[in-house]
């Protein structure tokens, strides 16, 4: 559509803007289906050819969201993360770089589901019910992943922003964490860093290089094999390689084939095998990121070609253990904690609480839950087992760390530890899980410890575990409590699970309805592979009976 001029802005009334938004929808971005779609934990996500009208409306919504936040920048990321290439999606980023506020998820759902003819009316009712000041400015920051469908969907978002006369910064092809970073920088007036893609690379790599004047240390070798999932992570990594120089040698794989196909963090985690297309070597550190580079999994093969995976739990324990050490060495009194979900391997929880003495909190699945809990600590480390996570520092903690680095009353070694903590903080993208920032953080800790990947893996042994899914008539009949570790309904199901679990040494199991698929998930772990498989099957079987299973019954492990 032709972009309205400044004069239009002055003369068009709000009512005219609502009707303009409706007419652009009708003419250029008509609604494609009457099937309801919901803004879920990862925003809207579906087949790319069903998304044009949704993208347009999310452009409209980003403008309203910015206005209600007094003109603060709002991010719009076009991506479907680890989903197959034909999918796409969109999510909004709030002013501090956090996920969209829950109440606005419902507004987003409402806005994309009304008919084109009712669109103007819907906008009006959002503006009026939320008391949005129309005279406030609106700023947005837009990014997209490498999917072939993304440029056309971007145009729809831009049309939505233009229809309500919002300003836009288009970052082009970037990772999801870069959008979160830039939004945070703009809204903090640069306090978090320089508000550009280049500013992001520079902040992370400068801090990383400072932390390792010598690239080698003990068993640590500065080389990784990087699986870019054929996506934006590979493009970003090319830029990192230029800036990292000899401090870290990165061998690139999966840069330009079909997105996420037989590679990437989700493939490695779910299939429990190396990404395809990589040349493996015994004990070489391999890193897989997902399609929008906000998740990371490490893995390696040993001398017997056995596959070993180091997932989000491993990263969380490695990082939390190191931060605790730096806190002790600096004498800083800050409260450090780790946030996990029920999926965290029992061995990781035991290791971090009993051996490293870091307290652990558990929240329901979904990044926003972990993030919210993590900010209750002075320093909160949070990771999902699937490799999404980061570390957040309270503003008081950041101030104390900075002051301690220059405090003459502290010993030289205390000041050095505080200075290190400050540089470690700069390697971390605190705004959201960030695959490449997390990788630099892991490399920093392994280097500091002089550890090879096998040394890291030897810290503790994971309990064998198994995940299954069960289809039921209505998955909402399964409700949970205690951070999804126990189920409340259907009546009697939890008692059956308790009985099954009590028969397995180190047994643990839970069931929860998926937030992204029409299934109920089962997780079980136990002392042996056979016991874990058996327990998962037994729990799936009682779940099928109690929750109205449909389709094939769970089958016993072979
Ligand atoms: C979403 C969540 C992810 C969670 C997954 C669980 C975000 C950004 N993403 O992808 O954190 O692990 O859902 O899926 O929050 P499930 O409910 O189907 O098991
Ligand atoms: Mg992702």
């Amino acid at each position: 559509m032709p972009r309205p001029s400044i004069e239009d802005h002055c003369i068009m009334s709000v009512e005219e803007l609502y009707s303009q938004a409706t007419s652009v929808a009708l003419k250029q971005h008509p609604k494609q289906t009457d099937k309801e779609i919901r803004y879920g934990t990862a925003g809207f996500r579906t087949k790319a050819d069903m998304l044009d009208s949704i993208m347009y409306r999310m452009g409209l919504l980003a403008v309203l969201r910015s206005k209600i936040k007094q003109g603060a920048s709002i991010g719009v990321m076009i991506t479907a993360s680890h989903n197959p290439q034909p999918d796409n999606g969109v999510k909004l980023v709030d002013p501090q770089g956090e996920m969209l506020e829950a109440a606005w998820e419902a507004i987003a759902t409402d806005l994309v589901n009304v008919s084109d003819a009712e669109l103007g009316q819907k906008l009006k009712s959002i503006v009026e019910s939320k008391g949005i000041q129309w005279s406030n400015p609106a700023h947005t920051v837009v990014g997209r992943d490498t999917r072939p469908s993304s440029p056309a969907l971007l145009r729809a978002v831009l049309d939505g922003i233009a229809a309500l006369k919002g300003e836009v910064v288009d970052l082009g092809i970037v990772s999801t964490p870069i959008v979160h970073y830039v939004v945070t920088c703009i809204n903090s007036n640069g306090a978090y860093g320089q508000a550009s893609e280049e500013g992001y690379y520079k902040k992370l790599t400068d801090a990383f290089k400072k932390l390792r004047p010598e690239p080698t240390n003990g068993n640590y070798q500065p080389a990784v094999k990087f699986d870019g999932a054929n996506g934006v992570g590979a493009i970003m990594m090319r830029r990192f390689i230029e800036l990292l120089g000899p401090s870290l040698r990165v061998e690139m794989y999966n840069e330009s084939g079909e997105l996420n196909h037989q590679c990437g963090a989700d493939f490695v985690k779910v299939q429990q095998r190396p990404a395809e297309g990589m040349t493996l070597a015994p004990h070489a550190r391999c890193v897989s990121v997902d399609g929008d580079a906000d998740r990371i999994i490490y893995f390696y093969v040993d001398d017997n070609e056995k596959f070993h995976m180091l997932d989000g739990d491993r990263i969380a324990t490695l990082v939390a253990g190191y931060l605790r050490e730096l806190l002790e060495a600096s004498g800083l009194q800050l409260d450090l904690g780790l946030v996990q979900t029920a999926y965290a391997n029992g061995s990781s929880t035991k290791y971090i609480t009993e051996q490293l003495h870091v307290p652990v909190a558990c929240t329901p699945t979904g990044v926003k839950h972990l993030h919210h809990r993590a900010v209750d600590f002075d320093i909160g480390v949070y990771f999902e087992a699937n490799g999404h996570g980061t570390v957040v520092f309270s503003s008081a903690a950041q101030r104390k760390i900075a002051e301690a680095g220059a405090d003459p009353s502290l010993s030289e070694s205390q000041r050095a530890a505080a200075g290190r903590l400050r540089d470690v903080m700069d390697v971390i993208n605190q705004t959201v899980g960030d695959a490449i920032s997390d990788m630099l953080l892991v490399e920093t800790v392994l280097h500091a410890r002089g550890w090879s990947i096998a040394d890291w893996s030897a810290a503790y042994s994971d309990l064998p575990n198994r995940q299954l899914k069960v289809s039921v008539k209505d998955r909402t009949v399964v409700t949970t409590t205690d951070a999804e570790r126990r189920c409340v309904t259907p009546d009697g199901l939890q008692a059956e699970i308790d009985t099954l679990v009590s028969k397995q040494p180190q047994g643990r199991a839970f069931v929860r309805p998926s937030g992204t698929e029409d299934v109920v998930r089962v997780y079980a772990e136990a002392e042996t592979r056979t016991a874990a498989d058996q327990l998962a099957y037994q729990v799936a079987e009682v779940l099928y009976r109690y929750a109205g299973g449909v389709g094939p019954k769970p089958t016993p492990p072979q």
Side-chain angles (χ1 to χ4, degrees):
M1 61 170 277
R3 307 262 182 265
S5 67
I6 301 285
E7 293 86 81
D8 290 340
H9 187 73
C10 304
I11 53 171
M12 275 179 94
S13 70
V14 185
E15 295 295 334
E16 283 168 324
L17 283 172
Y18 294 148
S19 67
Q20 169 169 289
T22 307
S23 85
V24 173
L26 285 163
K27 289 194 199 116
Q28 296 174 48
H29 302 289
K31 195 158 177 259
Q32 290 148 292
T33 172
D34 286 333
K35 199 166 159 239
E36 217 213 22
I37 179 162
R38 291 173 58 86
Y39 192 103
T41 40
F44 292 110
R45 201 179 282 187
T46 184
K47 295 277 162 267
D49 52 13
M50 298 308 293
L51 276 164
D52 183 79
S53 134
I54 293 169
M55 292 287 169
Y56 169 70
R57 293 167 184 219
M58 288 295 275
L60 301 172
L61 191 70
V63 171
L64 299 190
R65 186 72 186 145
S66 176
K67 282 185 187 288
I68 201 170
K69 293 288 174 185
Q70 282 77 42
S73 283
I74 296 294
V76 184
M77 180 67 195
I78 301 168
T79 181
S81 187
H82 60 275
N83 283 37
Q85 180 160 300
D87 290 3
N88 215 324
V90 59
K91 52 189 169 189
L92 293 194
V93 178
D94 260 356
Q96 321 263 303
E98 72 278 44
M99 311 258 170
L100 180 65
E101 182 187 312
W104 277 66
E105 292 183 1
I107 295 177
T109 298
D110 261 10
L111 187 67
V112 305
N113 286 300
V114 295
S115 70
D116 291 321
E118 290 165 320
L119 188 57
Q121 196 50 41
K122 184 48 114 185
L123 288 170
K124 185 173 180 191
S125 86
I126 298 171
V127 168
E128 289 176 0
S129 67
K130 290 281 160 191
I132 294 172
Q133 280 292 324
W134 198 260
S135 54
N136 283 348
H139 295 281
T140 60
V141 174
V142 183
R144 65 181 198 273
D145 70 14
T146 56
R147 284 163 211 269
S149 57
S150 291
L153 296 176
L154 168 69
R155 278 192 294 280
V157 169
L158 295 179
D159 283 351
I161 295 169
L164 292 184
K165 310 213 183 299
E167 302 282 330
V168 62
V169 174
D170 178 6
L171 297 176
I173 294 177
V174 286
S175 65
T176 294
I178 290 184
V179 173
H180 286 256
Y181 168 89
V182 171
V183 165
T184 309
C185 291
I186 295 175
N187 293 326
S188 68
N189 288 322
Y192 189 67
Q194 195 192 318
S196 67
E197 190 184 339
E198 233 12 68
Y200 163 86
Y201 294 127
K202 206 166 146 17
K203 178 175 175 183
L204 267 54
T205 47
D206 282 356
F208 179 74
K209 289 198 282 193
K210 218 162 136 192
L211 285 159
R212 45 196 287 150
E214 285 297 327
T216 52
N217 183 29
N219 291 340
Y220 178 86
Q221 288 300 321
V224 295
K225 290 174 182 279
F226 185 88
D227 158 27
N230 293 322
V232 63
I235 299 174
M236 312 280 96
M237 186 45 80
R238 282 281 166 201
R239 184 71 187 113
F240 271 108
I241 290 172
E242 286 170 29
L243 295 170
L244 288 169
S247 65
L248 185 65
R249 290 192 311 278
V250 183
E251 220 172 275
M252 296 291 287
Y253 297 96
N254 299 328
E255 290 193 77
S256 58
E258 185 181 336
L259 185 64
N260 298 320
H261 183 63
Q262 312 279 70
C263 60
D266 197 63
F267 174 87
V268 173
K269 173 76 182 157
V270 174
Q271 302 294 325
Q272 311 219 3
R273 61 186 162 102
E276 309 230 318
M278 296 180 78
T279 313
L280 302 172
H283 294 266
R285 279 195 307 286
C286 301
V287 177
S288 282
V289 304
D290 72 337
D292 62 339
D294 64 354
R295 271 170 61 181
I296 183 169
I297 296 287
Y298 271 78
F299 65 90
Y300 72 102
V301 291
D302 63 20
D303 292 323
N304 303 316
E305 291 182 25
K306 183 166 181 256
F307 169 81
H308 300 260
M309 180 167 65
L310 294 109
D311 63 4
D313 298 342
R314 294 280 179 171
I315 298 173
T317 47
L318 179 80
V319 169
Y322 185 61
L323 292 175
R324 195 205 57 136
E325 226 173 83
L326 287 181
L327 280 177
E328 268 177 22
S330 64
L332 277 159
Q333 300 293 322
L334 293 171
D335 143 50
L336 166 74
L338 173 64
V339 187
Q340 302 184 312
T341 71
Y343 287 107
N345 197 277
S347 296
S348 73
T349 316
K350 201 163 165 212
Y351 169 73
I352 195 80
T353 44
E354 292 177 10
Q355 293 196 36
L356 302 181
H357 308 292
V358 175
V360 173
C362 186
T363 71
T365 305
V367 171
K368 66 181 175 209
H369 299 296
L370 288 105
H371 190 99
H372 282 151
R373 180 64 184 88
V375 297
D376 288 344
F377 294 105
D378 293 328
I379 303 179
V381 180
Y382 72 87
F383 267 89
E384 288 193 305
N386 66 19
H388 190 117
T390 187
V391 186
V392 287
F393 296 76
S394 70
S395 24
Q398 302 195 29
R399 199 188 55 245
K400 285 184 191 163
I401 292 167
E403 283 167 6
D407 183 345
S409 72
L410 297 179
S411 71
E412 202 172 310
S413 68
Q414 285 179 317
R415 275 199 304 273
R420 235 186 125 69
L421 200 49
R422 189 199 51 226
D423 292 336
V424 167
M425 205 157 68
D426 278 346
V427 167
I428 296 168
N429 184 348
Q430 294 186 49
T431 65
V432 76
D434 178 333
I436 298 179
S437 155
D438 288 340
M439 177 187 117
L440 296 179
L441 178 60
V442 167
E443 294 297 316
T444 298
V445 182
L446 294 178
H447 172 269
R449 295 220 185 287
W451 275 3
S452 68
I453 193 156
D455 295 332
W456 176 19
S457 184
Y460 63 86
S461 305
D462 277 321
L463 284 172
N465 58 87
R466 178 66 61 204
Q467 289 193 46
L468 295 174
K469 39 187 176 179
V470 170
S471 292
V472 298
K473 222 178 301 144
D474 172 10
R475 73 187 196 277
T476 63
V477 301
V478 179
T479 58
T480 63
T481 182
D482 190 18
E484 302 178 324
R485 288 174 291 192
R486 298 186 65 76
C487 65
V488 179
T489 58
D491 241 12
L493 175 57
Q494 186 60 49
E496 294 262 6
I497 296 174
D498 288 343
T499 308
L500 294 170
V501 166
S502 68
K503 292 182 186 149
Q504 297 297 348
Q506 301 201 63
R508 188 170 69 89
F510 63 88
V511 299
R512 57 173 282 276
S514 159
T516 63
E517 260 186 90
D518 192 12
V519 295
V520 181
R521 300 200 192 280
V522 174
Y523 175 92
E525 65 185 30
E527 201 169 63
T528 64
R529 165 89 282 146
T530 317
D533 288 350
Q534 181 67 12
L535 182 57
Y537 158 68
Q538 291 171 328
V539 171
E541 203 274 321
V542 291
L543 170 65
Y544 191 95
R545 269 195 284 127
Y546 276 77
V550 291
K553 292 202 166 115
T555 48
Q558 297 306 309

